[in-house]
């Protein structure tokens, strides 16, 4: 999917279309990574994007939730926060340990569970960052994940590190785990991260346009040389 989308003429798409492609590539890489790690089929549906303020982000349906925060590094900056159900994270951990049991309502996220969940999210996040970097033709990485459990009172603004009236891109996903558990989760991309990614996309567009123009000039020069050669032979 990433290669197919990456082959499109970047100069012909808008910033919004490029962002949608980037998010799709990001989501596909995350799904493939976690499926590979867990050796289980994890399907992530098409992302739905919405730009709202931090205070307007609604995630009560995911409570009790777990926030997974990472920070973009290298050529980009800003924060990303995944919000998943704690139940779904427990399913991931069960798969990681080879346990087929359904989520235990009395399960406690102790230090061991949080450490395992953090490592799982780290591997998934770094894989998706690498795919985004490949699409942008630049370097990109993420800091290690910071996991925060929510009991319904956790403030997203504190987690993402943005004011409540700051703009945030909210990406909604559906998720199917082993064709059994159907769920959903959201990802919040800070305004700082959005601005940074937009700059990278514009730089890629400019680079692609420059390469296209250089190729056209080279073709013109080659054609002129060929025509001159034919004239010289006459």
């Amino acid at each position: 999917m990433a290669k197919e989308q990456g082959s499109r003429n970047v100069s012909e798409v808008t910033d919004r279309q490029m962002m949608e492609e980037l998010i799709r590539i990001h989501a596909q890489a995350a799904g493939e990574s976690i499926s590979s790690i867990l050796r289980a089929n994890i399907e992530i549906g098409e992302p739905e994007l919405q730009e709202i303020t931090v205070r307007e982000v609604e995630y009560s349906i995911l409570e009790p939730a777990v926030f997974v925060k990472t920070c973009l590094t290298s050529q980009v900056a800003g924060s990303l926060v995944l919000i998943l159900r704690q139940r779904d994270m427990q399913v991931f951990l069960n798969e990681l340990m080879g346990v087929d049991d359904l989520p235990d309502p009395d399960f406690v996220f102790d230090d061991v569970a949080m450490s395992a969940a953090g490592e799982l999210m780290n591997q998934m996040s770094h894989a998706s960052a690498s795919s985004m970097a490949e699409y942008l033709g630049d370097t990109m990485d993420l800091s290690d994940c910071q996991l925060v459990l929510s009991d319904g009172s956790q403030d997203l603004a504190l987690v993402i590190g943005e004011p409540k009236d700051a703009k945030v891109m909210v990406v909604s996903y559906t998720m199917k785990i082993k064709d059994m558990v159907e769920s959903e989760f959201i990802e919040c991309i800070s305004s700082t991260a959005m601005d940074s990614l937009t700059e990278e996309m514009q730089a890629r567009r400019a680079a692609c346009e420059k390469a296209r123009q250089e190729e056209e000039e080279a073709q013109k020069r080659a054609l002129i040389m060929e025509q001159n050669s034919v004239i010289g032979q006459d």
Side-chain angles (χ1 to χ4, degrees):
M1 183 179 187
K3 290 183 179 179
E4 178 183 346
Q5 291 173 332
S7 64
R8 293 175 60 183
N9 187 343
V10 176
S11 63
E12 296 178 354
V13 298
T14 65
D15 286 348
R16 176 73 179 197
Q17 289 171 325
M18 285 189 71
M19 180 61 70
E20 290 173 350
E21 278 194 17
L22 184 63
I23 294 298
R24 290 189 188 99
I25 290 169
H26 163 61
Q28 184 187 33
E32 290 175 349
S33 174
I34 199 167
S35 293
S36 176
I37 296 168
L38 300 180
R39 298 181 181 178
N41 185 30
I42 310 295
E43 296 180 13
I44 296 179
E46 281 291 305
E48 296 183 3
L49 283 64
Q50 180 184 23
E51 188 173 2
I52 55 178
T53 64
V54 174
R55 74 169 76 251
E56 293 174 314
V57 179
E58 175 55 53
Y59 54 91
S60 59
I61 193 174
L62 301 176
E63 295 286 7
V66 55
F67 296 94
V68 182
K69 178 183 178 179
T70 56
C71 295
L72 293 165
T73 60
S74 297
Q75 299 296 320
V76 290
S79 301
L80 309 177
V81 177
L82 288 173
I83 307 179
L84 305 97
R85 290 188 173 95
Q86 292 183 22
R87 178 198 68 190
D88 294 336
M89 184 65 77
Q90 185 186 342
V91 172
F92 290 157
L93 295 179
N94 284 348
E95 289 295 327
L96 191 63
M97 296 182 291
V99 177
D100 291 329
D101 295 342
L102 294 174
D104 182 354
D106 298 322
F107 181 84
V108 176
F109 278 90
D110 56 18
D111 291 344
V112 174
M114 289 293 279
S115 177
E119 181 57 31
L120 177 62
M121 292 294 100
N122 279 334
Q123 293 185 52
M124 181 191 75
S125 298
H126 288 297
S128 64
S130 295
S131 293
M132 288 194 292
E134 181 179 358
Y135 174 77
L136 294 172
D138 208 337
T139 57
M140 183 190 304
D141 201 357
L142 295 172
S143 65
D144 284 344
C145 296
Q146 175 187 355
L147 273 62
V148 180
L149 297 179
S150 172
D151 58 3
S153 61
Q154 183 63 49
D155 192 342
L156 174 61
L158 294 177
V159 176
I160 200 170
E162 296 277 348
K164 291 185 178 181
D165 59 351
K167 289 292 185 179
V168 62
M169 179 66 75
V170 178
V171 189
S172 302
Y173 302 92
T174 58
M175 176 172 60
K176 184 179 291 186
I177 306 173
K178 294 179 65 176
D179 296 324
M180 296 186 300
V181 179
E182 293 190 4
S183 189
E184 57 200 308
F185 66 97
I186 63 175
E187 180 176 31
C188 300
I189 307 175
S190 71
S191 57
T192 303
M194 287 295 297
D195 291 344
S196 185
L197 291 172
T198 299
E199 288 180 4
E200 289 297 304
M201 291 187 299
Q202 292 172 346
R204 184 194 178 204
R205 179 184 288 110
C208 289
E209 179 62 19
K210 181 180 178 181
R212 185 188 65 80
Q213 292 176 352
E214 291 177 346
E215 182 178 359
E216 287 181 353
E217 290 297 324
Q219 290 175 347
K220 289 178 182 178
R221 289 194 296 270
L223 180 59
I224 292 172
M225 291 179 64
E226 182 180 353
Q227 291 174 341
N228 291 339
S229 176
V230 172
I231 293 173
Q233 292 176 359
D234 293 341

